[in-house]
Amino acid sequence: MSIIVPELDDIGYREFREESEARLPKDAPRWSEHNLSDPGITFLEMLSWLSDIELYRLNRITPKHLQKFLALLGDHYPSARASKGMIVSTEGVSSDIKIDVGTAIEMEINQRKRVFRTKNRFCGNPAKIDRIDVFRESELFISRRVDSGEIEPFYAFGEEPKEENFFRLILNGIPSKDLNLYIELDESNLPSYNQEWRDDYLWLQEHDSIKLEWYITIDDVTYWIEPKEDKSLNLRYSGMVSFTIDKPISSSAKVLIICRLKNSSYMIAPFIKNIYLNSIEIEQSEAIVERITSSGEANQELTLGHESLLDAKGSGVAIEVESGGKIESWRRVDTLQNSKEEDRDFIYDNTTQKVLFGDGQRGSIAPYGDTIICKYLITRGESGVVANRADSWTIKGFEALNFYNPRGINGAESIPSYERRFATIIERWKTPTQAVTLEDYETLAKMTAGLRVARVKAFVDKQKKNCVAVVVVPYSRGDYPMPDDFFCRRVCRFLDSRRLITTVIDVIKPIYTEVGITLHIKIHAHFDMGRVRRDSVEAIDEYLHPLRGGDDKSGWEFGRGVYVSDIYALVESIEGISCIFDISFHGEGTYDNRKKVYTIEKKSLIRSLVHRVTFEKSSLACGGAL
């Protein structure tokens, strides 16, 4: 039940004045002159007016109050989200060109200039990718030319990746010593996942069960090269793969880059959308510099001129004070309580977006007349979105280079309203952070960073003390996905920090019980038996599917048996079937004749065997067969 918010501002100026005048005969009987010209009445009117104002203020919930309430609920840092993306060069770039992190890039969006900044260091590469060849079982399977920087998407190691399959990039030109390949995967039809996996990057690299080997071939001589950084995590995600080429390459050399699969455990085969040699990751942010003359007062406050800080915590806010041509940097601290008189410290209050200085005892006072320089980054939120390809990117200091964005620059979001922030907190409260119930384990397992977990079933393992067994099924393009050991370890590692202290977690693979169904049916005249057979088998396969099956199409329920009535209701809706004479089961389960159900273990899902369909050709009438 929600709390009823009281209405405090329920009377106004007139009510205050009338009530006060009505009390005068009792509280001040000697005061007999109540005309408007009486000075006492003037004071009474003024006090009624002040009371009305105070009551109005008491009844209001100001933005400052809302921010304090949100801070109590854990929402300390309201911020806009910057649009992010990638730009690439339309041609080879000289290896002498180096662009540092944070370099400004200008772009005109809807007749407004927007400033972006680079997120990675760019090293020019004069080479271009001329052709991509894909080999399966040592045989050339695909050969595609790269036209204007675009290619037709392809499976890197096949739809079902096999060890020793590889692809190679045939370069036109000589690559620079610093070689950066941005590999973009096509993930358009895949479910979303928790993208905070990079926080655990080193552990993932050490324990990864997928092994790739990279080589460079120079004039038919092949050398092994090791990535110095692989943000794609062995082509699991879109990201940059960086190398240092320390082999001498002549100007006329033929150069190939080869990626070979040595150990495969992909849940989803990498489907490469494009590969770029000269690419820069960018985000929309602008550097703001404000110059304010110091008042020289103790506890001086300055309000920043922009709200949409790129980092709402204010960690990027820098303060400098210019005095007599000399500029000195001040230090940001969380509190001035420990600052001394000579300490040049300041506080940034993110709730009010104010910079606070000391009082001369706890923190120095910015001297009168000196110039206070405030530096910080802001983002323009949704106005920084570039929906389509654009070719007019201008990098400050490198105006001669031509860059374009092959995909949209998206992901921006303006500062959310207070209502939306409260709604987000409520939704966050509904999501467990500690695994207590079995439902908590199932919810949290699906949130494992970097994994697409399709199905989870948690239950108490009574054979082990204090043990919760968690069955996980990965998302896969295949029909019967099976996680590898690495997948299970990652889920277990994610749950381990969220379990109760005495609980033991056992993340296990699903068991698939093979089940086949035989139908004996009669069809309507003039219907094709082959088509009816195909439709029946496809309907049963889909109904029993571990990811898409069941009545709600969210996957067949763990441990649920197959009832005769389930199949009867499913098949009789297929066009062309007149009636069903018999339904029988075969496979690894057990048929309970009394309950008319084919049972499986509680940890199990169903793997369909070959389903059989036979037809009744006689004139036997329908009805009563089951």
Side-chain angles (χ1 to χ4, degrees), residues 301-586:
E301 295 184 359
L302 302 177
T303 302
L304 299 184
H306 296 268
E307 292 184 350
S308 303
L309 268 67
L310 184 64
D311 177 11
K313 298 180 182 179
S315 58
V317 175
I319 297 295
E320 297 175 345
V321 176
E322 183 178 6
S323 178
K326 182 180 178 182
I327 297 178
E328 188 171 11
S329 297
W330 285 47
R331 180 182 64 170
R332 182 190 172 187
V333 294
D334 294 329
T335 176
L336 293 172
Q337 293 298 318
N338 300 321
S339 298
K340 299 178 182 179
E341 178 182 350
E342 66 275 8
D343 291 337
R344 290 171 171 79
D345 295 341
F346 72 94
I347 296 174
Y348 173 72
D349 185 353
N350 69 288
T351 61
T352 60
Q353 293 193 313
K354 289 184 177 181
V355 176
L356 311 176
F357 293 91
D359 59 4
Q361 295 180 349
R362 293 185 175 90
S364 297
I365 299 174
Y368 173 79
D370 286 0
T371 301
I372 300 174
I373 305 172
C374 303
K375 298 180 179 180
Y376 54 96
L377 294 175
I378 66 167
T379 179
R380 301 292 181 177
E382 295 173 354
S383 65
V385 170
V386 183
N388 303 308
R389 171 171 170 159
D391 301 292
S392 53
W393 295 89
T394 303
I395 302 179
K396 190 174 182 179
F398 302 90
E399 287 77 5
L401 298 180
N402 297 315
F403 281 84
Y404 73 98
N405 57 297
R407 310 286 175 257
I409 310 296
N410 300 308
E413 184 179 329
S414 299
I415 295 179
S417 64
Y418 288 112
E419 291 78 7
R420 184 173 176 184
R421 290 167 64 189
F422 277 113
T424 301
I425 289 173
I426 293 172
E427 287 300 316
R428 191 168 64 218
W429 283 350
K430 294 178 181 178
T431 303
T433 57
Q434 188 80 27
V436 179
T437 67
L438 296 179
E439 290 76 12
D440 293 341
Y441 280 97
E442 293 173 359
T443 301
L444 288 169
K446 288 186 177 182
M447 296 166 56
T448 303
L451 296 184
R452 292 182 172 93
V453 183
R455 302 282 308 282
V456 182
K457 180 64 177 178
F459 58 91
V460 177
D461 190 342
K462 296 181 180 179
Q463 297 180 354
K464 300 178 182 178
K465 186 177 180 180
N466 298 334
C467 181
V468 174
V470 182
V471 186
V472 292
V473 181
Y475 177 85
S476 172
R477 292 189 176 98
D479 285 333
Y480 305 105
M482 180 67 71
D484 62 353
D485 293 339
F486 177 69
F487 192 99
C488 293
R489 286 201 303 271
R490 286 182 67 181
V491 175
C492 188
R493 179 179 172 84
F494 187 80
L495 293 176
D496 186 64
S497 60
R498 294 161 175 83
R499 63 178 174 85
L500 296 180
I501 193 169
T502 59
T503 305
V504 177
I505 300 173
D506 187 13
V507 178
I508 59 178
K509 302 175 183 179
I511 299 172
Y512 286 101
T513 300
E514 294 184 337
V515 176
I517 297 174
T518 300
L519 303 176
H520 185 55
I521 62 176
K522 183 177 181 179
I523 64 175
H524 294 294
H526 309 301
F527 271 86
D528 179 62
M529 287 191 294
R531 177 184 172 184
V532 173
R533 177 183 284 110
R534 183 178 64 253
D535 291 347
S536 301
V537 170
E538 289 178 356
I540 294 173
D541 281 339
E542 193 71 12
Y543 184 63
L544 301 179
H545 196 277
L547 301 185
R548 304 186 300 270
D551 295 327
D552 58 359
K553 301 187 183 303
S554 62
W556 189 259
E557 186 179 340
F558 280 91
R560 183 185 184 277
V562 185
Y563 286 84
V564 171
S565 57
D566 293 333
I567 305 303
Y568 191 94
L570 174 71
V571 174
E572 71 175 357
S573 63
I574 297 174
E575 186 180 12
I577 295 181
S578 174
C579 61
I580 305 170
F581 285 102
D582 185 46
I583 296 176
S584 61
F585 297 88
H586 56 277

